[in-house]
């Protein structure tokens, strides 16, 4: 017990050092934390996911919710509206391309039947919010591309979850209701947004009264957990609800709630103390999330690992071509477009979804699980390495050619830099 407690404390100090290293060298702390988890888990066997029981997945879910909520508080509504078209094109395009490449690899290289291969493709079709959002914040992109990447990571989570469950139903019942699937995706998104916005407005009306009680700085996060849980309970996307709730609380004046409330009604916005607390919570939860992710990864044989690595490289190449088409406008600078092309890591959501086919007795379920775990590790590592390499002029010039952008790392004239945990607000 004493060793465990000491390790928890050391992990926090190491995470602070890694965050500083990220700012100075662009070596992502995400990768180092995952590698630390791998050493503790699969390599040495000191810790296993079973040691965490139900606590591990719960911490992972809490981390995801807090990261999405905190990022939502930093999103500007006007930028959000201007980014929807670009977000939709990048989200759908990247999801479809990734799912197609992975599914084709599953059939050709791993011998999966088409339906299990499609399950694998949908499982790995998204990007990991818990990886993308902290990296985007630290890399200081312009506001619009940063907003696009945050939204993409949240939306693809919905596509992956709904898609995998729909395919599992297809495997069990022998048919897929396309109209029902489309309706499920639309409902998960639209109703989650409505719940998040309505919940945010309601909280703004009571926040001032809550502050009258002692020790209430964590009450907003507790409320976020309630909204997330209720949204998931009724069958919609809790992640989107948490993001929408954060956007609502972070844009009080944009919504004009003071005029809606009328005289005598107090509208209390989030304070600087609240926002600092949220950022500290994100830092702590992110640290343990990635260590747990590393502990959870399973390794297959070398041949499988090589095929998975090649598959992920193809996914990144196709994403680069997609970003070239979607980020054509001059407002997207070379560095922003290059980083967007690199932001295709997979995370714990993919690792969790990958276990479902095996649990449901789908043929090839073990292969789906092992390939997905490796894809999570390889994609995070490749994202981290590309971010580091982007500092080198030859790599930047290569991306200038691939993306059709002028060979300069500076943002376009007039571009606003996204706010981060240190200089936000």
């Amino acid at each position: 017990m004493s060793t465990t407690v000491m390790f928890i404390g050391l992990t926090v100090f190491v995470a602070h050092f890694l965050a500083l290293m990220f700012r100075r060298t662009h070596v992502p702390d995400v990768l180092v934390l995952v590698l630390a988890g791998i050493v503790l888990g699969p390599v040495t066997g000191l810790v296993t996911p079973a040691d965490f029981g139900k606590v591990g997945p719960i911490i992972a879910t809490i981390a995801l919710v807090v990261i999405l909520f905190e990022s939502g508080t930093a999103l500007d509504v006007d930028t959000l509206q201007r980014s929807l078209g670009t977000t939709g094109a990048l989200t759908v395009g990247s999801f479809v391309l990734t799912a197609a490449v992975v599914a084709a690899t599953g059939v050709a290289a791993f011998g999966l039947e088409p339906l299990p291969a499609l399950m694998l493709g949908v499982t790995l079709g998204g990007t990991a919010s818990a990886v993308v959002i902290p990296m985007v914040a630290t890399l200081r992109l312009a506001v619009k591309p940063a907003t696009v990447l945050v939204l993409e990571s949240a939306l693809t989570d919905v596509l992956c979850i709904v898609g995998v469950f729909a395919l599992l139903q297809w495997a069990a019942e022998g048919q897929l209701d396309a109209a029902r699937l489309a309706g499920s995706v639309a409902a998960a998104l639209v109703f989650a947004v409505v719940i998040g916005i309505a919940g945010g407005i309601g909280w703004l009306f009571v926040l001032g009264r809550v502050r009258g009680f002692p020790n209430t700085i964590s009450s907003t996060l507790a409320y976020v957990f309630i909204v997330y849980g209720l949204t998931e309970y009724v069958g919609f996307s809790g992640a989107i609800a948490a993001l929408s709730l954060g956007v609502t609380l972070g844009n009080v004046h944009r919504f004009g709630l003071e005029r809606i409330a009328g005289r005598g009604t107090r509208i209390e916005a989030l304070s600087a103390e609240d926002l600092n607390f949220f950022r500290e919570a994100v830092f702590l939860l992110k640290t343990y999330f990635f260590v747990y992710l590393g502990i959870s990864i399973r390794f297959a044989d070398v041949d499988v690992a090589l095929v998975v690595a090649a598959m992920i490289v193809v996914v990144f190449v196709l994403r680069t071509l997609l970003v070239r088409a979607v980020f054509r406008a001059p407002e997207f600078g070379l560095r922003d477009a290059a980083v967007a092309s690199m932001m295709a890591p997979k995370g714990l959501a993919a690792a969790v979804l990958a276990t479902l086919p095996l649990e449901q007795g789908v043929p090839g379920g073990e292969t789906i699980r092992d390939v997905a775990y490796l894809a999570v590790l390889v994609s995070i590592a490749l994202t981290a390495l590309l971010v580091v390499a982007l500092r080198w002029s030859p790599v930047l010039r290569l991306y200038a050619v691939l993306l059709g952008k002028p060979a300069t790392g500076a943002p376009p004239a007039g571009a606003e830099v996204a706010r981060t945990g240190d200089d936000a607000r």
Side-chain angles (χ1 to χ4, degrees), residues 172-423:
E173 300 178 1
Q175 61 181 1
L176 177 65
D177 189 338
R180 183 178 177 183
L181 174 60
S184 297
V185 173
L189 295 175
V190 174
F191 284 101
V193 170
V194 171
I195 292 172
I197 293 175
I201 293 174
W203 184 245
L204 288 169
F205 278 98
V206 303
L207 183 58
R209 296 179 176 85
V210 171
R211 293 194 195 281
F213 295 89
N215 306 318
T216 57
I217 192 171
S218 61
S219 58
T220 298
L221 283 186
Y223 182 72
V224 175
F225 298 150
I226 293 172
V227 171
Y228 172 88
L230 288 175
T231 307
E232 288 284 330
Y233 182 76
V234 296
F236 305 127
S237 172
I240 296 296
L243 180 66
S244 302
L245 177 59
V247 171
T248 304
L249 296 185
N251 291 269
V252 177
H253 303 297
R254 296 284 186 178
F255 284 110
L257 295 178
E258 298 90 342
R259 295 191 299 272
I260 297 175
R263 294 182 179 180
T265 303
R266 181 182 178 187
I267 294 291
E268 184 83 16
L270 295 176
S271 66
E273 185 180 10
D274 291 325
L275 298 173
N276 286 330
F277 174 73
F278 300 153
R279 287 192 286 269
E280 286 293 330
V282 167
F283 174 80
L284 290 173
L285 290 168
K286 181 190 75 171
T287 298
Y288 294 112
F289 171 89
F290 287 114
V291 173
Y292 177 76
L293 179 60
I295 292 171
S296 301
I297 288 176
R298 294 171 179 263
F299 290 96
D301 58 53
V302 176
D303 292 338
V304 172
L306 291 175
V307 173
V308 170
M311 178 183 74
I312 294 299
V313 169
V314 172
V315 167
F316 273 68
V317 170
L318 291 178
R319 182 179 172 89
T320 301
L321 299 178
L322 176 64
V323 168
R324 176 178 179 136
V326 174
F327 281 33
R328 292 191 306 271
E331 64 181 314
F332 297 110
L334 170 59
R335 183 173 177 274
D336 291 338
V339 170
S341 70
M342 301 168 183
M343 288 297 125
K346 317 305 170 188
L348 194 63
V352 171
L353 289 173
T355 64
L356 299 181
L358 181 60
E359 293 174 1
Q360 298 294 323
V362 174
E366 187 173 354
T367 300
I368 292 173
R369 181 198 62 189
D370 293 343
V371 170
Y373 279 138
L374 278 174
V376 169
L377 174 60
V378 173
S379 62
I380 291 176
L382 184 56
T383 297
L385 293 174
L386 289 174
V387 166
V388 174
L390 192 60
R391 303 186 72 189
W392 301 338
S393 296
V395 175
L396 194 62
R397 287 195 294 269
L398 174 61
Y399 271 97
V401 174
L402 294 175
L403 296 168
K405 296 285 185 180
T408 172
E416 183 185 358
V417 176
R419 296 168 292 178
T420 68
D422 295 319
D423 55 15

Side-chain angles (χ1 to χ4, degrees), residues 61-71 221 225 278 281-282 285:
T61 301
I62 289 175
L64 177 62
V65 172
V66 175
I67 288 171
L68 284 167
F69 168 72
E70 195 275 337
S71 68
L221 283 186
F225 298 150
F278 300 153
V282 167
L285 290 168

Side-chain angles (χ1 to χ4, degrees), residues 31-223:
L31 178 60
V32 180
L33 292 171
V34 171
L35 291 176
I38 291 173
V39 171
L40 290 172
V43 174
T44 63
L46 294 176
V47 185
T48 67
D51 294 333
F52 292 88
K54 295 183 179 180
V55 175
I58 290 174
I59 291 178
T61 301
I62 289 175
L64 177 62
V65 172
V66 175
I67 288 171
L68 284 167
F69 168 72
E70 195 275 337
S71 68
T73 63
L75 293 181
D76 178 75
V77 169
D78 293 337
T79 305
L80 196 61
Q81 293 174 340
R82 295 195 304 268
S83 305
L84 290 179
T86 305
T87 300
L90 182 62
T91 299
V92 175
S94 180
F95 181 83
V96 171
L97 285 175
T98 302
V101 169
V102 174
T105 305
V107 172
F110 302 123
L112 294 174
E113 294 296 320
L115 182 54
L118 189 56
M119 288 182 191
L120 177 61
V122 172
T123 296
L124 297 174
T127 61
S129 301
V131 182
V132 170
I133 293 174
M135 292 187 72
V136 166
T138 307
L139 291 170
R140 294 177 57 82
L141 303 186
V143 171
K144 186 171 180 179
T147 301
V148 169
L149 293 174
V150 169
L151 292 176
E152 181 203 9
S153 67
L155 292 172
T156 52
D157 275 350
V158 178
L159 295 177
C160 292
I161 294 169
V162 174
V164 168
F165 277 99
L167 293 174
L168 287 171
Q169 182 185 27
W170 186 5
E173 300 178 1
Q175 61 181 1
L176 177 65
D177 189 338
R180 183 178 177 183
L181 174 60
S184 297
V185 173
L189 295 175
V190 174
F191 284 101
V193 170
V194 171
I195 292 172
I197 293 175
I201 293 174
W203 184 245
L204 288 169
F205 278 98
V206 303
L207 183 58
R209 296 179 176 85
V210 171
R211 293 194 195 281
F213 295 89
N215 306 318
T216 57
I217 192 171
S218 61
S219 58
T220 298
L221 283 186
Y223 182 72

